[in-house]
């Protein structure tokens, strides 16, 4: 399992799930202050890790320039 694989899993998950939304910066900061993060399926994960389902943390996802969960033009 690599970060890239976890990111790929997360993007696959986005395609088959609805109702998710990327956390805002404030939430990310709170998680970081607690030394944790969450995956898109709400699992608690390490900030630079992935959950037991193989989904990358939001911190990893939002750092990914290919992210389609939060596209900024
Ligand atoms: Zn999970």
């Amino acid at each position: 399992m690599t970060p890239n694989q976890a990111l790929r899993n997360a993007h696959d998950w986005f395609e088959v799930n609805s109702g998710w939304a990327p956390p805002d910066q404030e939430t990310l900061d709170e998680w970081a202050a607690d030394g944790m993060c969450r995956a898109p399926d709400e699992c608690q994960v390490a900030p630079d890790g992935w959950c037991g389902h193989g989904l990358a943390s939001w911190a990893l996802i939002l750092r990914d320039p290919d992210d389609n969960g939060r596209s900024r033009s």
Side-chain angles (χ1 to χ4, degrees):
M1 194 66 180
T2 66
N4 279 344
Q5 180 66 53
L7 284 168
R8 210 151 36 226
N9 290 343
H11 287 294
D12 287 346
W13 186 91
F14 289 150
E15 284 175 23
V16 296
N17 287 274
S18 57
W20 53 269
D24 55 26
Q25 189 60 50
E26 189 181 341
T27 304
L28 282 171
D29 289 346
E30 276 174 23
W31 291 343
D34 289 340
M36 49 76 76
C37 195
R38 290 201 182 271
D41 64 349
E42 311 263 302
C43 290
Q44 185 172 321
V45 295
D48 291 319
W50 42 86
C51 77
H53 310 107
L55 302 183
S57 73
W58 276 117
L60 278 180
I61 294 165
L62 296 178
R63 202 185 300 153
D64 176 13
D66 292 333
D67 174 46
N68 52 27
R70 183 165 89 174
S71 49
R72 280 183 173 171
S73 51

